[in-house]
Amino acid sequence: MTLFFILETLLLFIIMIVPLLLAIAFFTVLERQLMAAIQRRQGPNIVGFYGLFQAITDGLKLLVKESILPKSASVLIFIFSPVFTFGLAMAGWVVIVGGENQMLSDFNLGLLYIFALSGLGVHTVIMAGWSSNSKYAFLGGLRSAAQMISYEVSLGVVIVAVILFTGSLNLSSIVESQANLWNAWPLFPMFLMFFISALAETNRHPFDLPEAEAELVSGYNVEYSAMGFALFFLAEYSNIILISSVAGLLFLGGWFPITELFFLNLIPGSIYFAMKTIFFMLLFIIVRAILPRYRYDQLMRLGWKIFLPIALALTFFYSSILLSFNGLSILIMK
């Protein structure tokens, strides 16, 4: 029975991973095409129809390239850092709810599980930067660790506000509590801070300081090639899609439409969830195309001196309102 359960879980995990890898491949093509259109230049247009298969050929190229190990690197940590990074990126999808009763694991602490995995991702970045024994990779790893830790604090406070509103850490329960009103409306300032913190958490523009080409060449993954680089690349884009889906679940009602009109209820809920996830993915691309990079001191000041105090103040404000309404409802019931 135990062996059957393990095999069934592995099969479900593989069924989940293959579409996710395809989504990452086509997301990269979409990003390059959309950025080319915004910047008024030519995007990928050779491989396949409008460059549709460009990402697949890039993946095959990285697969057949030779992996180069730096002479002075700590080989074991250097090899396993991208593997751990990719594994953590894939593990977060286990609790994502694509629709009503559409999840691999209905975990009651699903939101806490995702937040814990994002915290573990800091360690793999430090491991990659340190094990390369390169000053550029090490500086990139330190930058990334400081940035991710700083904005995880703001993300955590925002998530606390969502938990106060919904009363649950289960993602299905959080979505079901938004059947009549999405959290994005009453928690709009928190919604904005969540999205901006998500940009910093995934090392994306305008917060891509760990991978700043002008100063650090490529950051913590500068010494990686072939499949090592590919695993870091896949993990980064998987995290973008993951945080986009989490934003849709926490703030935009998951699989619920914006109104309860009868013809909107005819469309499957998973389609609404996919549309909301794609909406945030497009925002990630547009922000990368139009905004310049922050300075590092500006990045830290935004996280610690602006977002964190505002998030804490709003959390206390929302909790006081909720306590007041709960006390009023108890008095009315008496």
Side-chain angles (χ1 to χ4, degrees):
M1 185 65 182
T2 306
L3 180 61
F4 177 76
F5 177 75
I6 293 172
L7 291 174
E8 183 184 15
T9 305
L10 286 174
L11 180 61
L12 290 172
F13 194 68
I14 292 169
I15 292 171
M16 180 190 71
I17 290 297
V18 172
L20 178 59
L21 294 178
L22 290 174
I24 293 170
F26 290 114
F27 176 46
T28 59
V29 175
L30 173 65
E31 179 180 39
R32 295 167 70 178
Q33 293 282 16
L34 187 56
M35 287 184 63
I38 292 172
Q39 298 168 355
R40 302 189 69 178
R41 58 181 174 82
Q42 196 73 32
N45 62 348
I46 302 299
V47 185
F49 183 70
Y50 282 103
L52 196 61
F53 300 119
Q54 182 66 52
I56 296 174
T57 56
D58 290 343
L60 291 174
K61 178 194 73 172
L62 290 170
L63 184 63
V64 300
K65 283 184 72 174
E66 179 187 3
S67 293
I68 299 173
L69 294 175
K71 185 178 179 180
S72 55
S74 300
V75 177
L76 191 63
I77 301 176
F78 183 84
I79 291 173
F80 279 100
S81 293
V83 177
F84 291 153
T85 304
F86 180 73
L88 289 173
M90 296 296 107
W93 286 94
V94 172
V95 296
I96 293 298
V97 187
E100 197 167 1
N101 299 321
Q102 293 181 19
M103 76 289 288
L104 194 61
S105 175
D106 191 14
F107 186 34
N108 283 332
L109 301 177
L111 190 55
L112 186 62
Y113 170 78
I114 291 174
F115 195 65
L117 288 179
S118 70
L120 288 173
V122 179
H123 298 81
T124 60
V125 168
I126 295 176
M127 287 163 57
W130 176 83
S131 64
S132 301
N133 202 17
S134 163
K135 66 180 77 173
Y136 296 111
F138 186 58
L139 284 172
L142 291 178
R143 274 189 173 191
S144 183
Q147 177 175 322
M148 293 171 76
I149 290 170
S150 299
Y151 282 86
E152 272 177 13
V153 178
S154 301
L155 276 176
V157 176
V158 172
I159 288 172
V160 167
V162 174
I163 296 168
L164 286 173
F165 255 69
T166 58
S168 176
L169 285 163
N170 185 291
L171 288 170
S172 298
S173 301
I174 291 172
V175 173
E176 288 166 2
S177 68
Q178 302 175 68
N180 299 317
L181 179 67
W182 294 355
N183 286 336
W185 308 129
L187 297 174
F188 187 72
M190 294 293 203
F191 174 52
L192 291 180
M193 282 190 285
F194 182 90
F195 177 71
I196 297 171
S197 299
L199 290 172
E201 185 71 14
T202 52
N203 298 332
R204 294 283 293 188
H205 271 71
F207 308 115
D208 63 331
L209 277 302
E211 301 173 10
E213 292 87 357
E215 309 103 56
L216 300 175
V217 188
S218 182
Y220 59 88
N221 58 9
V222 65
E223 298 293 342
Y224 284 89
S225 60
M227 280 310 294
F229 175 78
L231 290 175
F232 276 121
F233 186 81
L234 290 170
E236 178 183 338
Y237 278 84
S238 174
N239 285 329
I240 292 170
I241 302 174
L242 178 66
I243 203 75
S244 298
S245 63
V246 170
L249 293 171
L250 296 185
F251 293 100
L252 296 186
W255 59 82
F256 288 109
I258 193 167
T259 63
E260 291 295 325
L261 295 176
F262 73 94
F263 59 88
L264 293 177
N265 293 327
L266 298 176
I267 302 174
S270 55
I271 301 296
Y272 290 116
F273 172 68
M275 291 168 61
K276 293 166 186 175
T277 303
I278 292 170
F279 167 72
F280 283 106
M281 291 161 60
L282 290 174
L283 287 181
F284 270 87
I285 299 172
I286 293 169
V287 167
R288 180 180 179 185
I290 65 176
L291 292 181
R293 182 182 295 131
Y294 261 43
R295 287 202 321 263
Y296 198 74
D297 61 308
Q298 292 174 330
L299 169 80
M300 287 299 170
R301 184 168 67 248
L302 179 68
W304 289 105
K305 293 186 177 181
I306 299 175
F307 277 10
L308 182 58
I310 292 175
L312 284 170
L314 285 173
T315 301
F316 284 121
F317 173 71
Y318 288 133
S319 60
S320 63
I321 290 177
L322 289 171
L323 284 172
S324 301
F325 275 104
N326 285 338
L328 184 62
S329 62
I330 290 171
L331 287 174
I332 292 171
M333 289 176 66
K334 287 183 178 179

